[in-house]
Amino acid sequence: RVRLLRNLARAQTQLGQNAQANVSLQRAQVLAGRFDDPKLSADLLYGVARMAHDAGDFQGQVNAGQQVIALSTRLQNSQLGGMGHEIIGLAQLQRGDEASATRELQTAYESFRTLGLKRDELRVLRSLLKLKISRGEPSGELSMRFATLDAEIDASDRARAADDFDARLQYTEREYELRR
């Protein structure tokens, strides 16, 4: 229910219904407060940060990012730490503080890379590359890593789709045989 309320709030934000979005978010936070589930809280905070980003609320993004980092410290969870730094980096980028954004995004990138979270790494790498290119900084190594990751993820997605197709085909063939 918390995730549904978070998604409702996000949709309301995109529709420009900020007051309703805040109400939905508050309801989600009240529900989440009933449980000691740090991962659910972090997921909710990630949604809060996205909405704050869409609304241009710098301080809301930074607060959400800092709370996610605090949860990551409590849980000793590097993935949450990376997510918190990513949130803050994107807030700094939106604000125009490129130096701070680079530091935060670099920290998130290194966290995801160390953990082998390729999709998260690719997402942060995309933002980091755009930033470095706009600043005229060398990005050869990062560009190569981006191309490698993109190709790996694309190949993995294609293999998964092919496996799914094969499974559906086998199911259909069995169903046909049963009917026959």
Side-chain angles (χ1 to χ4, degrees):
R1 187 165 176 190
V2 170
R3 287 184 179 96
L4 288 173
L5 286 168
R6 180 208 56 206
N7 292 344
L8 174 63
R10 185 173 185 202
Q12 289 167 326
T13 299
Q14 291 173 344
L15 292 171
Q17 301 169 352
N18 293 331
Q20 294 94 328
N22 285 332
V23 170
S24 297
L25 238 157
Q26 289 171 359
R27 288 176 55 204
Q29 289 173 326
V30 167
L31 285 174
R34 294 180 184 170
F35 310 103
D36 184 26
D37 187 343
K39 288 199 174 200
L40 180 61
S41 297
D43 187 37
L44 181 59
L45 287 168
Y46 201 67
V48 168
R50 272 188 244 141
M51 288 181 6
H53 184 270
D54 292 345
D57 178 8
F58 171 75
Q59 197 56 51
Q61 292 174 76
V62 171
N63 289 343
Q66 289 171 340
Q67 289 176 35
V68 170
I69 291 172
L71 284 171
S72 78
T73 302
R74 178 177 160 206
L75 293 174
Q76 297 180 354
N77 185 312
S78 299
Q79 181 181 10
L80 289 179
M83 289 170 62
H85 286 287
E86 178 186 5
I87 290 168
I88 294 171
L90 293 174
Q92 296 291 355
L93 186 59
Q94 188 177 32
R95 188 177 199 196
D97 185 351
E98 293 180 350
S100 295
T102 301
R103 277 193 309 277
E104 294 292 338
L105 291 171
Q106 188 69 42
T107 301
Y109 167 72
E110 290 168 5
S111 175
F112 294 143
R113 183 171 184 168
T114 300
L115 294 170
L117 300 170
K118 293 180 180 182
R119 290 185 191 279
D120 293 331
E121 181 184 349
L122 185 65
R123 185 184 63 244
V124 172
L125 189 54
R126 183 175 291 116
S127 297
L128 193 56
L129 269 173
K130 286 179 185 176
L131 182 58
K132 287 191 175 268
I133 290 169
S134 74
R135 293 177 73 182
E137 294 179 7
S139 58
E141 182 180 323
L142 291 178
S143 296
M144 291 301 296
R145 179 68 181 159
F146 181 85
T148 301
L149 274 177
D150 190 46
E152 286 178 16
I153 290 172
D154 189 46
S156 171
D157 289 347
R158 272 192 253 128
R160 189 175 300 126
D163 290 345
D164 184 50
F165 177 77
D166 288 341
R168 288 176 191 232
L169 183 61
Q170 288 175 357
Y171 177 79
T172 304
E173 288 172 346
R174 284 186 206 134
E175 188 176 283
Y176 174 75
E177 288 296 321
L178 284 172
R179 285 184 184 175
R180 199 172 97 186

